[in-house]
Amino acid sequence: MRPLPKPPDHPLVRLSHNVDGVETSATIAIQDRASQLRSEGRRVFKLGLGQSPFPVPGPMVESLRAHAGEKDYLPTAGLPALRAAIAQYHRRKPGIQAEAQDVLVGPGSKELLFLLQVVLDGQVLLPTPAWVSYAPQARILGRRTRYIHTRAEDGWQLSPEALDRACTEHDGPYLLVLNDPSNPTGTSYSPERQREIAAVARAYGVVILSDEIYGELRFDGQHRSIAEDWPEGTILSTGLSKWCGAGGWRLGAFTFPRGLQPVLRAMEAVASETYTTTSAPIQYAAVTAFEGDTFPDWMVTYIEGARRVLARLAAQSAARLRAAGAQVAEPDGAFYLFPDFGPLRQRLAARGIHDAPQLCEQLLLDTGVMCLPGQAFGRPREELTVRLSLVDFDGAAALAQDAALAQDAAGSDALPAIAPVLEAIDRLCAWVVR
Ligand code: PMP
Ligand code: GLU
């Protein structure tokens, strides 16, 4: 063999420019930090990561157990029975015509969102506050994003005028990511506003990715999809993570209008070259969650219980925050609040707190309450908004207490299981006004 060259001077690896400045997702990083602090014996209130406090419903767990032996790779687009069940689930809504062939199953809707941005050309439009991973995913892929800021006074809702303006600035095509009910604000779009946004989207040929992962957690059960107004241009996203309490199972699904089949097929091709397919036992178990023309009784009991618990917790938390001086949009779904402490700016500034990251950090150090700054959701750093995930409580106990309340003729009002979150809110309120 001829003599080998001297090892090169340059480093062994060089990271791609696409990941310059990309860090662990804010939601994941805060959970890691919470675990670290707890392991050091600190008392922390985990209002950081947004994961369902409720257990996975029993029949789904049984179904997963029964299918533990399923070991074969499944088709990349998903188990046929699951694709059919998800289509049937969406058809419960008027105006949605999905069939099995329109559904793409994946290991979490987050991964599907990434794949969507891999295969689509054009500009991504993100109304803010926007869930933490939308913009970083686009950035990793080197694609253009355009934030469309919304305002607290408008309940953090995208206005048709703002969408219209954003669409005239650049050439399309456009992908609008709309999250309803919203993480982080816990608010939903009214049917009128949905129709107005859909009209603008139709006019400019904007494809909407309607992220409805919290749809079933609308407190009044009246979730409505913008796909009803713009069926040809709306991709529907759902999954097991939130309303089935199964974030760690990693299962999500996109449902495409028939005219967007090429997008589904391109995503399927990329999936087949990357993760191949979603876990087989999980897909079999997921059929149990979606199948049928209506939910079975056990699912109705579970979801209605979760909605009641979350509604009560959100209303009580929002009231306490308002009493402390924060501005809070009235929540009607999911398990988040997005208070703005702007009205307390002078008070906080006197304590050296001028922006949201400082606010979250000092709050954690002083009180043990963990939350995320509005900046992680695309809001200006100096805006004093934070996201609170109202989830650090025993969801199984809360569901049991809620069920007992319904039977309690004496009209008791107690739901002691949610007390840890209310304690965290009280600590936060006492701290901001101090
Ligand atoms: N969208 C929103 C708004 C979320 O909060 C999350 C967090 N789970 C996701 C999508 C991704 O969910 P998953 O990948 O668990 O389906
Ligand atoms: N969606 C959750 C949140 O916003 C956490 C899970 C995740 O980020 O993937 O906190």
Side-chain angles (χ1 to χ4, degrees):
M1 192 166 102
R2 68 192 173 99
L4 292 171
K6 275 200 351 235
D9 293 337
H10 61 72
L12 277 183
V13 293
R14 197 169 54 220
L15 295 181
S16 150
H17 284 310
N18 283 8
V19 294
D20 277 351
V22 171
E23 292 175 2
T24 300
S25 179
T27 54
I28 308 302
I30 196 154
Q31 183 73 348
D32 293 348
R33 191 160 176 214
S35 304
Q36 175 65 30
L37 290 172
R38 274 197 183 165
S39 74
E40 290 165 10
R42 288 242 357 230
R43 177 149 191 227
V44 290
F45 297 83
K46 296 208 271 183
L47 309 194
L49 180 76
Q51 84 172 325
S52 168
F54 303 110
V56 180
M60 290 176 60
V61 175
E62 281 158 32
S63 178
L64 181 59
R65 240 184 231 122
H67 291 101
E70 295 292 345
K71 60 158 206 47
D72 287 346
Y73 292 112
L74 292 175
T76 298
L79 175 71
L82 178 58
R83 297 176 78 192
I86 292 171
Q88 187 181 23
Y89 163 80
H90 285 309
R91 284 200 306 272
R92 293 179 201 166
K93 295 246 179 282
I96 298 184
Q97 317 252 315
E99 299 290 340
Q101 68 187 90
D102 305 318
V103 176
L104 178 64
V105 175
S109 60
K110 192 174 185 173
E111 180 63 28
L112 291 176
L113 194 66
F114 187 72
L115 283 193
L116 180 68
Q117 298 190 63
V118 169
V119 308
L120 279 192
D121 194 13
Q123 169 138 218
V124 180
L125 304 175
L126 294 179
T128 74
W131 177 51
V132 294
S133 289
Y134 298 147
Q137 286 193 346
R139 179 172 171 181
I140 291 167
L141 293 165
R143 60 178 45 263
R144 287 179 299 152
T145 49
R146 157 79 155 86
Y147 279 140
I148 310 177
H149 291 303
T150 68
R151 303 184 320 160
E153 301 83 274
D154 300 333
W156 302 111
Q157 299 217 332
L158 172 66
S159 72
E161 294 80 14
L163 179 60
D164 179 24
R165 270 196 304 279
C167 292
T168 43
E169 277 170 15
H170 293 279
D171 291 335
Y174 303 101
L175 173 70
L176 169 67
V177 182
L178 207 63
N179 180 208
D180 184 18
S182 154
N183 173 3
T185 67
T187 59
S188 306
Y189 282 89
S190 66
E192 297 72 45
R193 185 54 68 89
Q194 288 179 326
R195 285 185 201 105
E196 291 166 353
I197 292 173
V200 178
R202 188 186 291 276
Y204 289 97
V206 175
V207 168
I208 299 180
L209 184 275
S210 186
D211 182 344
E212 303 183 18
I213 193 149
Y214 299 97
E216 296 292 350
L217 292 182
R218 211 165 119 168
F219 305 150
D220 63 3
Q222 298 296 314
H223 173 65
R224 181 180 182 278
S225 174
I226 196 164
E228 293 177 36
D229 305 310
W230 177 213
E232 308 89 330
T234 302
I235 303 168
L236 265 166
S237 176
T238 187
L240 294 184
S241 299
K242 309 301 172 180
W243 55 273
C244 286
W249 284 26
R250 309 307 303 127
L251 186 125
F254 277 13
T255 301
F256 296 77
R258 194 59 51 82
L260 298 187
Q261 274 278 331
V263 182
L264 186 161
R265 280 198 294 275
M267 287 173 66
E268 184 184 352
V270 177
S272 76
E273 299 288 18
T274 50
Y275 60 77
T276 308
T277 174
T278 306
S279 158
I282 298 292
Q283 291 200 60
Y284 280 96
V287 174
T288 316
F290 289 101
E291 68 189 346
D293 289 330
T294 55
F295 278 138
D297 288 347
W298 56 265
M299 186 65 103
V300 172
T301 304
Y302 172 83
I303 291 184
E304 288 186 350
R307 286 175 185 157
R308 276 193 301 271
V309 170
L310 294 174
R312 180 193 291 235
L313 180 54
Q316 291 187 14
S317 302
R320 291 176 194 206
L321 289 159
R322 284 191 200 111
Q327 239 187 328
V328 194
E330 192 56 37
D332 62 14
F335 33 66
Y336 304 105
L337 290 178
F338 196 63
D340 182 352
F341 293 98
L344 301 170
R345 180 173 293 282
Q346 280 192 346
R347 243 182 145 117
L348 290 163
R351 289 154 58 185
I353 296 167
H354 304 281
D355 61 35
Q358 286 173 344
L359 192 156
C360 292
E361 187 59 24
Q362 201 54 49
L363 174 70
L364 169 63
L365 295 176
D366 293 349
T367 68
V369 175
M370 308 193 85
C371 58
L372 287 174
Q375 188 194 22
F377 298 80
R379 299 298 301 176
R381 183 184 176 94
E382 59 286 357
E383 181 181 270
L384 295 175
T385 47
V386 304
R387 185 192 76 171
L388 306 171
S389 300
L390 307 176
V391 298
D392 194 6
F393 65 97
D394 180 341
L399 289 178
Q401 289 163 8
D402 171 75
L405 286 185
Q407 322 242 310
D408 180 4
S412 152
D413 203 24
L415 205 55
I418 61 174
V421 176
L422 294 174
E423 183 186 343
I425 300 290
D426 285 342
R427 283 183 174 226
L428 161 55
C429 292
W431 179 84
V432 281
V433 299
R434 131 174 139 193

